[in-house]
Amino acid sequence: MDIQLKRGLLDICVLAAIKDGDSYGYKIIKDMKPYVEMSESTLYTILKRLETAKMLTVRSSEHDGRLRKYYHITELGLRRIEEFKAEWREVMLIYQFVSKEEEDND
């Protein structure tokens, strides 16, 4: 898979993992695991990129005597998910067209 495409898809997956409520690194990885494998180093790189792009915010809170970072999706992050859904519909139409040609040749 094209590395830029995969990078964009992983960004969307991380945003989707926190769209229903604030979350933290380990939980994000756990929630995504049935769909996509991601290392902690990859996740934290993505989280930093999304924070810089103002698609999420970060707050620290103590949990069991340790500081834990919680990530919150912003309006910009929610809009990015909606943009992705619209873009993906177009990609699926292209896929159907390409697949149709393959079926016609069988």
Side-chain angles (χ1 to χ4, degrees):
M1 177 183 286
D2 176 73
I3 191 71
Q4 291 295 3
L5 176 60
K6 187 172 184 177
R7 178 180 170 186
L9 291 173
L10 291 176
D11 288 3
I12 293 296
C13 288
V14 171
L15 289 171
I18 63 173
K19 74 178 171 72
D20 293 327
D22 295 359
S23 194
Y24 53 94
Y26 176 76
K27 185 169 183 332
I28 293 169
I29 288 174
K30 185 177 155 196
D31 291 345
M32 291 175 52
K33 192 170 186 152
Y35 307 98
V36 63
E37 291 281 330
M38 183 182 297
S39 69
E40 285 186 40
S41 61
T42 298
L43 174 64
Y44 288 108
T45 299
I46 291 169
L47 289 168
K48 188 65 179 163
R49 183 170 54 245
L50 293 172
E51 180 185 9
T52 300
K54 301 193 182 327
M55 291 189 201
L56 57 82
T57 58
V58 183
R59 69 176 169 81
S60 294
S61 181
E62 191 172 320
H63 178 78
D64 291 335
R66 296 176 51 190
L67 233 88
R68 178 183 280 172
K69 287 185 176 183
Y70 287 88
Y71 299 89
H72 175 81
I73 193 165
T74 64
E75 190 61 40
L76 188 60
L78 291 170
R79 278 198 310 258
R80 179 62 195 115
I81 291 173
E82 292 307 311
E83 289 168 1
F84 169 79
K85 289 178 187 177
E87 292 164 358
W88 198 253
R89 282 188 283 277
E90 186 176 344
V91 169
M92 290 305 298
L93 289 173
I94 293 167
Y95 174 79
Q96 288 172 356
F97 175 74
V98 170
S99 296
K100 178 186 172 299
E101 286 191 356
E102 289 175 357
E103 291 170 7
D104 291 344
N105 291 331
D106 287 341

